[in-house]
Amino acid sequence: MSTIESKDKRCVVVGASQAGVTFAFALRSEGWEGEIILLDSDTNLPYYRPPLSKAVLTGAESIDDHILKPLSLYERENISLKLGCTVKSINKADKKIILRDDSSISYDKLVLATGSRPIIPKIKNIDETPKLYTLRTAEDVKKISSALANSKQKRVVLIGGGYVGLETAASLKKLGASVTVLEKEDRVLARVTAPEMSQYFESLHTENGVNIHTNKNVNAFEVNNESTSVVCQDGSTFEADIVIIGVGVFVNKELAEAAGLEISNGIKVDSSTKTSDDSIYAIGDCTNHYNALYDRHIRLESIQNANDQAKVAAAVICGKEANYNALPWFWSDQFDVKLQMVGLYKGANEVLIRDDDGENHKFSVWYFKDDTLLAVDAVNNTKAYVMGTKFIKGGNKINKAHLVDTSVDFKPANILAKD
C-alpha cells in the first residue's frame, strides 16, 4: 500500500505496551499517512516492563524513567493514544472493534498487541488472602513496595522460580526482605533452561540469603491475623507477610478467539505477522509464529520479539516486503549477575560449559544438537553472547575441544571448526 492509498485509511492497535507502541511509530515512519489509534486499558503512559522487577522495584529508578515515548511524540506523529480504554469484541464483518461502553471504532487494518497476564493458580483460600500480589504492571510494583514498607518482619514468599520470580527475589533481598522461593518443579527455571543453569542460579540465590525450595506444590493459604501460612502438598508450611505469585502467564487471546481467528498456543500468524484474517495482524507476546531456524512454531515473551514483529507488521501494512525470522534473545539481571541468552536450547543433546573466570561468575553454557549450535547462555560474558549469536546465525560448526579449553584464546578463529 502506498502512502497515497493510506491517506484516508485507519489503523487501530489494541495494546500499548512494547509491541503496540513500537508498531505505531514504525507504521508512521514507513509512510502510513492515515489515522493511527492506539488503545490500552492501562491508564499509565506506556512504559518499559523489564525494569519493573529490578530497578523500579528496588526504588533505584521510577516508572517515569522508563516510559516508552513522551506524550509529545505521540502528538507530533499524530498517533491517537487512548488510555483506560478496554476493547470488548471485534466485528470482522463490519471491520469494527466494540469498546466496553458499547461504542465502536472502525478500522481498515487492525493490529492486536494484547500481550499476556499472570496466571492465578487455583489455591485454597487465595481469594481471601491479603497482601497477595503478582508482578506485571506498574501498579503491581507500587502495591508490593507499599506492603513491604509497612511490613515489620518483611517475610516474602514467592511462588514460582522462573526468571521474573528470581529477579523479584533478588530485588526484594536488596531491600532487606526475608525471601523464600517455592518452586513446584525439581529445579528453578525448569521450563526455560538446562539443569546446569538452574543449579547455578539456585546457588547464587542461596549465597545471597534467598531460601530456595523445590518440589513444593502450594495447595492452600491459611490467614492468621496479618500473616499468611503458605501450605504445600507435602505438609510443609512457610510463614509470609507478603505473597507474590509468579507461575507463568496466560496469553490474552480472548478477543482474537471470539472473533474466529486461528489460535494455537497464542494467535497464529504467518511470517508477515498476518493472522487468518487479511485485515488483522498480531504482534508480541500473544502470537505464535513459525521459526525457520528451529523448524517449529514458537511463542516468545521477549522485548526482541515484540520490537521485531512490530517493525515487520508496519512494513507489510505499508505494502513493503518483510518477513519475521529473527533469532530470539533474552536477558536477566539478578544481584550483580547479568545473564544474556541467545537461541532456544530445547532439543539439545549436549551441553558444554566454558568457565572463563569462575570466581567472578564469568562463564558460558553452549547447547548443541549433535554438531549444530542451538543456544548460548552467557553469564557476565558479553563476548560469549556476541560470538554465540554470530555462530548460530551463520550455522557455523564449533571446535568443541577448543570451546571448553580456557587455555585457548577465546576468539572466532580459534573456536570455529576448520573445514
Side-chain angles (χ1 to χ4, degrees), residues 36-225:
I36 301 174
I37 299 177
L38 182 57
L39 311 169
D40 202 285
S41 58
D42 198 331
T43 57
N44 290 286
L45 196 62
Y47 51 87
Y48 188 53
R49 291 185 188 275
L52 292 180
S53 60
K54 300 182 275 285
V56 176
L57 181 57
T58 62
E61 298 169 359
S62 75
I63 194 63
D64 292 336
D65 295 320
H66 295 286
I67 59 171
L68 292 172
K69 303 282 185 181
L71 188 59
S72 59
L73 285 187
Y74 294 92
E75 295 169 348
R76 190 187 76 183
E77 296 298 323
N78 195 22
I79 295 170
S80 178
L81 179 63
K82 297 181 181 294
L83 301 174
C85 186
T86 301
V87 178
K88 188 167 68 173
S89 63
I90 300 168
N91 182 332
K92 289 193 304 179
D94 294 336
K95 287 188 157 185
K96 291 181 179 180
I97 58 168
I98 313 303
L99 305 182
R100 181 172 49 192
D101 62 3
D102 290 325
S103 63
S104 64
I105 301 174
S106 63
Y107 65 83
D108 295 286
K109 298 293 182 182
L110 176 64
V111 177
L112 301 177
T114 49
S116 56
R117 64 187 184 277
I119 292 172
I120 306 299
K122 293 181 180 179
I123 299 174
K124 184 179 178 182
N125 299 325
I126 192 169
D127 293 333
E128 290 76 42
T129 303
K131 296 181 181 177
L132 184 146
Y133 310 98
T134 57
L135 202 164
R136 184 71 178 174
T137 67
E139 290 304 311
D140 292 336
V141 173
K142 290 178 183 178
K143 291 175 182 177
I144 292 169
S145 298
S146 176
L148 189 66
N150 292 307
S151 172
K152 293 180 180 179
Q153 298 188 64
K154 301 185 186 300
R155 297 172 300 178
V156 181
V157 170
L158 272 154
I159 301 174
Y163 281 120
V164 173
L166 294 182
E167 289 170 0
T168 302
S171 295
L172 292 172
K173 193 64 188 175
K174 288 181 180 179
L175 293 173
S178 171
V179 182
T180 298
V181 175
L182 304 179
E183 170 55 53
K184 73 175 183 178
E185 303 294 339
D186 61 2
R187 58 187 177 92
V188 299
L189 305 173
R191 289 173 293 179
V192 292
T193 195
E196 290 83 355
M197 289 302 294
S198 295
Q199 183 178 2
Y200 169 74
F201 277 102
E202 284 185 30
S203 297
L204 176 69
H205 279 259
T206 299
E207 290 168 5
N208 282 278
V210 176
N211 301 303
I212 302 278
H213 297 272
T214 56
N215 294 304
K216 294 296 181 182
N217 191 15
V218 177
N219 62 3
F221 296 117
E222 294 178 358
V223 179
N224 312 301
N225 295 322

